[in-house]
Amino acid sequence: MPRQRIIIDTDPGVDDAIAIWLALASPEIDVMGISVVAGNVPLEATVRNACKIVALSGRDVPVFAGAAGPLFRNQVYGKYAHIGAFSDDLVPAATLQPQAEHAVDFLVRTLRQAAQDNDPITVCAIGPMTNLALALVQHPDVARGIRQIVTMSCAFTALGHRVPWAEFNIYADPHAAETVFTAGIPLFIMPLDMTFQALIGNEQTSGLRQRAGKPGKAIEALLQAFDRSDKARFGRDGGPVHDATTVAWLLQPELFRGSAATVGVQVTGKTAGYTYADFYGKLAQPTNATVMQQIDEAGFFALLDRTLSVYGDIEGDAR
Ligand code: RIB
Ligand code: CA
């Protein structure tokens, strides 16, 4: 199977880091660039985090700084925004700098070339979708360069976690999400409904520490520093690794079960960011997305361990 060409649009973020390390570890994936947006933390911190993540992978992939805030609504960040960038004890310092080109310009240039080459690219959208929306609004022709959008976002049957009515990536920029949802591009959504089914715990992180080299050690440290567990909510230990499910779907789609739906988002009012999925044609509108509703949790963590172990193999060979 030819390598999948992807762009990762991200707001690192612990789960973003795992998704990025997973993609960069995979021989089946060619990461053409990483476009960064404000979200979990302010833009200067998400850019710093992205550079540290790429540097620790040992891969040569360009990082581009993008939108510092949403299209229209007021800025909101994740619950750890006060932390800022990952400290050096969690993810080692790196000299890697972002490219001078703005992330939106990178997206437009690269997607236009992909359209000309008739070799469209998968966009893995794991943060607020401001960069992607800006590219599509300014230059709608870039849609022809996008094979599919795989996004970690939305909450349909699960309650949101940043606010009860919305998942964070949508809540942070609902107008951007609406632009993406209505662009007519094949859309695959990994909502909280599904990501809450796969909870990473000490068993998985200790295995990654032992087998996945420096990224494995960083993953354990990050998950210990930024506790994502919620036993009251999940009824068991462990926390979700939302964003990594997008890359896992690209690598092993059989781990997931999903259905076609008409997906929409509320962009104004008290519950802006609320998303709905019409699985049963109630709106008599064409479906615009495939929504993943189930994940094979054990298979997902086996994929993570197997794929991320390449970092340990590389470091072992280098010794
Ligand atoms: O709601 C979870 C999403 O919001 C994840 O992408 C997380 O990194 C944050 O961006
Ligand atoms: Ca994210």
Side-chain angles (χ1 to χ4, degrees):
M1 183 171 83
R3 293 182 79 197
Q4 297 186 66
R5 301 194 318 155
I6 78 169
I7 289 171
I8 301 175
D9 192 68
T10 178
D11 65 330
V14 174
D15 57 326
D16 304 70
I18 299 170
I20 295 167
W21 278 320
L22 183 63
L24 295 177
S26 309
E28 301 92 337
I29 291 179
D30 176 9
V31 180
M32 303 186 66
I34 293 176
S35 49
V36 185
V37 65
N40 278 301
V41 291
L43 181 66
E44 63 277 1
T46 53
V47 171
R48 190 81 248 115
N49 288 343
C51 290
K52 285 185 151 194
I53 292 161
V54 171
L56 201 62
S57 77
R59 299 291 196 253
D60 181 16
V61 173
V63 174
F64 300 86
L71 296 183
F72 299 112
R73 66 152 294 153
N74 59 305
Q75 179 89 51
V76 288
Y77 296 117
K79 74 176 186 179
Y80 290 113
H82 59 289
I83 300 282
F86 299 147
S87 57
D88 293 349
D89 61 309
L90 297 176
V91 184
T95 56
L96 180 67
Q97 292 300 314
Q99 302 292 308
E101 186 179 24
H102 191 280
V104 176
D105 296 332
F106 158 72
L107 286 168
V108 171
R109 171 174 59 84
T110 307
L111 295 173
R112 276 183 164 161
Q113 188 60 56
Q116 282 177 10
D117 299 344
N118 195 28
D119 186 10
I121 294 167
T122 290
V123 175
C124 196
I126 55 176
M129 293 182 253
T130 316
N131 290 334
L132 188 50
L134 285 169
L136 287 167
V137 165
Q138 292 172 17
H139 307 286
D141 61 291
V142 304
R144 292 200 302 273
I146 302 175
R147 177 183 303 281
Q148 59 195 356
I149 295 170
V150 189
T151 173
M152 189 283 132
S153 61
C154 300
F156 301 118
T157 55
L159 284 180
H161 51 156
R162 185 70 174 68
V163 290
W165 62 83
E167 178 278 321
F168 175 76
N169 287 336
I170 305 293
Y171 177 61
D173 196 339
H175 296 87
E178 184 178 60
T179 298
V180 172
F181 291 173
T182 56
I185 300 166
L187 186 59
F188 296 86
I189 298 177
M190 313 286 146
L192 295 180
D193 318 351
M194 178 273 290
T195 63
F196 281 161
Q197 297 170 24
L199 305 182
I200 195 167
N202 296 336
E203 178 191 344
Q204 292 83 18
T205 56
S206 59
L208 291 173
R209 171 175 33 81
Q210 293 164 41
R211 289 185 288 274
K214 292 174 185 168
K217 293 174 178 57
I219 290 169
E220 183 183 57
L222 287 167
L223 288 169
Q224 285 172 349
F226 303 103
D227 181 18
R228 314 164 69 77
S229 64
D230 186 348
K231 195 154 187 178
R233 174 164 199 168
F234 302 125
R236 58 188 173 118
D237 294 329
V241 276
H242 307 287
D243 293 334
T245 62
T246 58
V247 178
W249 181 78
L250 290 173
L251 293 173
Q252 228 180 314
E254 64 273 18
L255 293 175
F256 299 82
R257 290 285 176 272
S259 306
T262 303
V263 166
V265 52
Q266 185 178 338
V267 295
T268 56
K270 171 83 177 71
T271 52
Y274 170 78
T275 46
Y276 64 83
D278 176 13
F279 291 101
Y280 306 106
K282 298 294 183 191
L283 299 172
Q285 290 175 1
T287 60
N288 61 341
T290 301
V291 175
M292 299 304 155
Q293 297 168 291
Q294 288 177 4
I295 184 172
D296 170 350
E297 181 183 45
F300 170 63
F301 287 119
L303 171 66
L304 244 61
D305 192 274
R306 180 171 68 248
T307 307
L308 292 170
S309 293
V310 76
Y311 294 115
D313 299 342
I314 292 169
E315 289 171 27
D317 294 346
R319 271 195 278 272

